[in-house]
Amino acid sequence: MTPISPTLRFERSLYREGVTSIVACDEVGRGALAGPVAVGMVVIDATVKRMPAGLRDSKLLPEPVRETLEPLCRTWVLHSAVGMASAAEVDSLGIMRCLGLAGARALALLEEGGAEIRDSTLILDGNYDYLNPALMRPARVVTRIKADRDCASVSAASVIAKVHRDRLMIGHDAEYPGYGWASNKGYSSREHFDAIAELGPSALHRLTWLKDAATLAMPT
């Protein structure tokens, strides 16, 4: 089955409603056993037109294609940023609060980079606004299920966040050898579980996740 191509149709519908600036958001690393959770954000307005050829939700793209698309996505949008929350923060605060924390950090990075986003509308993939509880100043948030599949701006945020986090985990593979993070990026795999059994958890593992994840992933 050919993957659905994202478009700017939903973004254009927001422009017709009077929105002048959009911040599109997507998260990666939510289900990983190790490493941070990351939220990617991009800023677009009505001047941003034709999207990069081949753009898809990052989960639908092979790693080499994501690597090729990532710089094209960054130059296509007006601004981009990735915020993260660490494994230790996930352990202490829980994943939903950390999604908000990572998103708030991404917004701060956008503003530090000169993005004018105070009056922007934010598109969040999914059906739950995890961002506003973490913000000092309320944001205008629109949630949309499958936005990473259907909305080109959210797909771009997804690719940027995925490549950023993957590169981070590849770097940690040399720092914490044996867990296979260059290939599994901290997600569940037989190799990863075998390494945890042999080496124990590392400083980058989400300790509160390991027991339940192992129970679900390992065959009986």
Side-chain angles (χ1 to χ4, degrees), residues 6 24 41-44 48-58 61 65-82 148 151-163 167:
M41 294 189 177
V42 303
V43 182
I44 66 167
V48 175
K49 303 292 185 181
R50 185 175 298 176
M51 66 184 188
L55 178 62
R56 298 283 192 281
D57 169 20
S58 66
L61 297 170
V65 177
R66 291 195 301 265
E67 287 283 346
T68 299
L69 278 171
E70 191 266 351
L72 301 179
C73 290
R74 285 192 286 104
T75 56
W76 175 59
V77 302
L78 302 178
H79 300 272
S80 63
V82 179
D148 53 357
C151 301
S153 60
V154 181
S155 292
S158 172
V159 168
I160 290 169
K162 176 66 173 166
V163 170
R167 289 174 179 171

Side-chain angles (χ1 to χ4, degrees), residues 155-219:
S155 292
S158 172
V159 168
I160 290 169
K162 176 66 173 166
V163 170
H164 183 95
R165 186 185 181 279
D166 280 0
R167 289 174 179 171
L168 186 71
M169 294 307 294
I170 290 169
H172 285 316
D173 190 57
E175 185 180 2
Y176 299 95
Y179 296 99
W181 290 340
S183 58
N184 64 49
K185 311 302 189 295
Y187 287 91
S188 301
S189 70
R190 167 61 68 179
E191 174 191 32
H192 195 173
F193 281 117
D194 288 347
I196 294 169
E198 178 181 353
L199 303 172
S202 74
L204 293 184
H205 279 97
R206 303 174 188 178
L207 301 181
T208 55
W209 290 44
L210 290 182
K211 182 177 180 180
D212 289 342
T215 300
L216 290 173
M218 300 290 279

Side-chain angles (χ1 to χ4, degrees), residues 12 15 22 51 93 144-145:
R12 288 174 182 141
Y15 298 146
I22 290 171
M51 66 184 188
L93 300 175
R144 183 176 174 86
I145 295 173

Side-chain angles (χ1 to χ4, degrees), residues 80-95:
S80 63
V82 179
M84 294 186 292
S86 70
E89 288 172 325
V90 172
D91 278 339
S92 63
L93 300 175
I95 189 62

Side-chain angles (χ1 to χ4, degrees), residues 6-144:
T7 69
L8 288 167
R9 188 175 296 117
F10 182 66
E11 292 89 335
R12 288 174 182 141
S13 73
L14 294 178
Y15 298 146
R16 289 194 294 272
E17 294 172 4
V19 171
T20 58
S21 174
I22 290 171
V23 178
C25 318
D26 198 23
E27 51 81 14
V28 298
R30 180 173 179 169
L33 298 178
V37 65
V39 173
M41 294 189 177
V42 303
V43 182
I44 66 167
D45 61 19
T47 68
V48 175
K49 303 292 185 181
R50 185 175 298 176
M51 66 184 188
L55 178 62
R56 298 283 192 281
D57 169 20
S58 66
K59 295 187 292 295
L60 303 177
L61 297 170
E63 186 171 355
V65 177
R66 291 195 301 265
E67 287 283 346
T68 299
L69 278 171
E70 191 266 351
L72 301 179
C73 290
R74 285 192 286 104
T75 56
W76 175 59
V77 302
L78 302 178
H79 300 272
S80 63
V82 179
M84 294 186 292
S86 70
E89 288 172 325
V90 172
D91 278 339
S92 63
L93 300 175
I95 189 62
M96 296 311 296
R97 286 183 64 187
C98 282
L99 286 173
L101 183 60
R105 289 168 176 168
L107 279 175
L109 289 171
L110 288 176
E111 292 187 311
E112 289 172 12
E116 298 289 340
I117 58 174
R118 182 175 292 270
D119 297 320
S120 297
T121 291
L122 281 72
I123 304 175
L124 279 186
D125 179 50
N127 61 1
Y128 176 71
D129 176 8
Y130 57 75
L131 185 58
N132 264 308
L135 299 179
M136 298 291 292
R137 182 179 71 240
R140 186 182 305 134
V141 170
V142 176
T143 60
R144 183 176 174 86

